[in-house]
Amino acid sequence: MRNFIKNHPQQAALVSIDVPLISNQSVLMNIALIKQYHENMPTAKAEPIVFSALRRLNLENIAFKRNPDLNDEERFFAMLLRAVMVRDALVIIDRPLKIVPHMKNIDYIFQALKNIENLYLNCHIYDYDWMREKYGELSR
Amino acid sequence: MSLLENIGSAVIKLIKSFTDIINFAWKILIRIFNRNTYTSAMRTVLIDQIYFTSVQILPIFLITSIAFGSLLIGVLFLQLKQLGLTQYFGHVLMGLIVTEFSPFVTVLLITLRSGSAINTEIAVMKVNKEMSALEAFRIDVINYLMVPRVINGVISIVLLSTLFSVVLLGSGILFSGLIFGMSIDAYSNVLLNSANFSDIVIALLKSVVFGFFIILIPVRFGLQASHELTSIPIVVSRGMVNVFAAILTIEVLSLIIKLF
């Protein structure tokens, strides 16, 4: 994973428990920040993009919530949307089950990734070898 | 360890801490004058910070300045009258209240409210690995977090200390009428005649330096937090002690500059 990030420093977009959301900002601000900082996009232009992305995952209701108010799934998707805001994002999901520990069906993540598939170039999921069976067919 | 060694190591520590703050201040100054720092994200943080520091505090600040300012002006005018120094009241108002007292009280209020909050905020962000998260997304922590807070410190102190002076001079109208039987026109004349341009410039410069350091020091100490929660109170108390030391140092330096 480190090599991948090293090889794609401008496109790597990490979703990881070690890369948390900024707790004193809303989900909306956390996600919009990437566009505002990397592309110098004005707030008025960045926020509709974020709302539209949240809508695709039926999560408009979390736009004004902050990190501590989110449940595990909401936090994961907020992190995922923040990652896809990187231009030509190569999304790296690091141990998703550490972010959503009680998730039984990994398809939940794949469905969400499908809903926003035009927002990123590629997605890689990294996990421990012993978690392989959780990913079913996809791990083979 | 001998007494001499203890003194020596304390002095070395002090010099190291001082040079560390100066280096950090230099880094921030360079970024402040760099156009690329002012991204849309940075401007959003700057506006938020000005709102938190200068606007949210306004009700408390106005009440404090009216109550405290009126009391001070009243006592000061009475003393001047009793000592037969009525003719100097304009110089006292401009020289003491506007150039010395207003920036000092403002800086104390802002340090207590915003300096401590920023120190804690940065320390908590460090503990929660939020700084690393920003770095992971190639967001420059200095440009995004530090520079807007420091600029906000400068803007807020200059504006609020000006407001404090205006409130004090306003209550001066009331007390000059009550104690000296002076009309508003006469009062304004005395003030204008006593106003010294260099004093006002020094007061403004002092406010700028105050604003810069009372935010920069808490930010610097907040960054020294480790990844343990227990490090937060340690860095906050260290930061606040250093801010108060800086306030006193700046006061003394401005006095020395005025003497020459």
Side-chain angles (χ1 to χ4, degrees):
Chain A
M1 187 173 81
R2 279 193 188 138
N3 281 340
F4 186 85
I5 296 171
K6 214 174 161 186
N7 293 335
H8 305 91
Q10 296 304 314
Q11 289 167 278
L14 204 56
V15 177
S16 165
I17 194 90
D18 297 324
V19 183
L21 296 170
I22 307 301
S23 52
N24 62 1
Q25 286 185 348
S26 63
V27 167
L28 177 68
M29 296 275 286
N30 263 286
I31 302 171
L33 166 66
I34 308 299
K35 290 272 178 210
Q36 284 187 280
Y37 191 87
H38 288 178
E39 298 172 34
N40 200 10
M41 190 181 276
T43 315
K45 232 175 144 185
E47 284 185 356
I49 295 174
V50 177
F51 270 115
S52 134
L54 282 168
R55 215 169 292 130
R56 287 196 197 190
L57 300 180
N58 291 321
L59 287 171
E60 301 112 296
N61 59 317
I62 67 163
F64 297 103
K65 284 187 182 175
R66 290 185 175 192
N67 191 17
D69 307 322
L70 303 174
N71 63 34
D72 292 338
E73 284 87 358
E74 288 170 341
R75 187 169 298 115
F76 175 82
F77 290 128
M79 287 164 136
L80 179 64
L81 289 179
R82 176 178 64 173
V84 299
M85 288 297 135
V86 172
R87 191 183 274 172
D88 299 329
L90 297 175
V91 178
I92 300 155
I93 304 179
D94 173 30
R95 294 161 295 169
L97 289 152
K98 269 197 120 180
I99 308 172
V100 196
H102 61 266
M103 184 165 49
K104 282 184 185 151
N105 189 357
I106 208 85
D107 284 344
Y108 192 54
I109 292 178
F110 292 118
Q111 188 55 49
L113 282 168
K114 212 172 175 189
N115 289 346
I116 54 168
E117 64 188 350
N118 65 328
L119 297 179
Y120 60 92
L121 279 186
N122 212 331
C123 179
H124 297 259
I125 299 179
Y126 289 82
D127 213 328
Y128 299 115
D129 205 33
W130 59 85
M131 301 296 270
R132 190 180 283 269
E133 66 181 56
K134 288 253 183 194
Y135 294 88
E137 282 296 313
L138 286 152
S139 61
R140 287 182 193 108
Chain B
M1 233 196 253
S2 72
L3 179 71
L4 206 62
E5 278 176 319
N6 278 331
I7 295 170
S9 73
V11 170
I12 290 170
K13 229 177 174 181
L14 194 76
I15 293 170
K16 265 188 183 167
S17 164
F18 181 74
T19 49
D20 179 53
I21 292 288
I22 297 299
N23 279 338
F24 188 61
W26 181 244
K27 240 185 224 174
I28 297 278
L29 262 181
I30 290 172
R31 302 294 180 97
I32 287 176
F33 292 106
N34 185 349
R35 252 183 62 189
N36 296 334
T37 305
Y38 297 85
T39 57
S40 160
M42 181 274 185
R43 292 196 302 269
T44 307
V45 177
L46 177 61
I47 291 165
D48 283 349
Q49 289 297 318
I50 291 175
Y51 174 75
F52 294 142
T53 309
S54 297
V55 181
Q56 277 190 339
I57 200 179
L58 269 182
I60 295 173
F61 189 79
L62 277 173
I63 292 168
T64 311
S65 49
I66 289 169
F68 199 52
S70 304
L71 186 77
L72 185 90
I73 293 270
V75 171
L76 199 73
F77 280 12
L78 267 176
Q79 286 297 315
L80 288 174
K81 195 182 179 186
Q82 280 167 8
L83 295 168
L85 298 170
T86 312
Q87 70 271 29
Y88 295 114
F89 100 88
H91 292 285
V92 171
L93 260 184
M94 294 306 289
L96 180 74
I97 304 292
V98 175
T99 63
E100 296 294 336
F101 195 73
S102 298
F104 187 68
V105 173
T106 309
V107 92
L108 283 183
L109 284 172
I110 298 296
T111 303
L112 287 171
R113 190 178 177 273
S114 300
S116 52
I118 287 173
N119 201 333
T120 316
E121 183 189 27
I122 299 291
V124 169
M125 286 184 86
K126 186 82 190 290
V127 171
N128 282 347
K129 297 183 189 166
E130 290 172 23
M131 301 273 180
S132 322
L134 290 171
E135 281 161 5
F137 279 95
R138 298 167 294 285
I139 291 170
D140 188 306
V141 172
I142 292 184
N143 285 1
Y144 177 65
L145 290 177
M146 319 297 166
V147 174
R149 281 167 175 77
V150 173
I151 294 177
N152 154 57
V154 173
I155 293 174
S156 299
I157 295 290
V158 170
L159 291 181
L160 290 174
S161 83
T162 308
L163 181 67
F164 196 87
S165 299
V166 170
V167 170
L168 255 69
L169 294 178
S171 48
I173 297 174
L174 179 76
F175 284 97
S176 60
L178 283 174
I179 298 169
F180 303 128
M182 202 177 256
S183 69
I184 295 177
D185 281 348
Y187 175 78
S188 318
N189 257 338
V190 171
L191 279 189
L192 285 173
N193 289 334
S194 319
N196 194 340
F197 182 71
S198 65
D199 279 351
I200 294 170
V201 171
I202 288 176
L204 274 177
L205 279 177
K206 201 163 82 174
S207 297
V208 169
V209 177
F210 267 147
F212 185 81
F213 282 102
I214 64 149
I215 301 298
L216 181 108
I217 294 170
V219 164
R220 183 74 196 113
F221 278 85
L223 283 175
Q224 286 175 359
S226 64
H227 289 299
E228 285 169 23
L229 279 171
T230 46
S231 67
I232 296 175
I234 298 169
V235 295
V236 171
S237 68
R238 267 192 212 151
M240 295 320 286
V241 167
N242 276 274
V243 168
F244 283 105
I247 291 172
L248 289 178
T249 311
I250 295 165
E251 271 296 336
V252 172
L253 286 176
S254 85
L255 193 69
I256 293 171
I257 291 169
K258 260 188 163 181
L259 285 175
F260 295 101

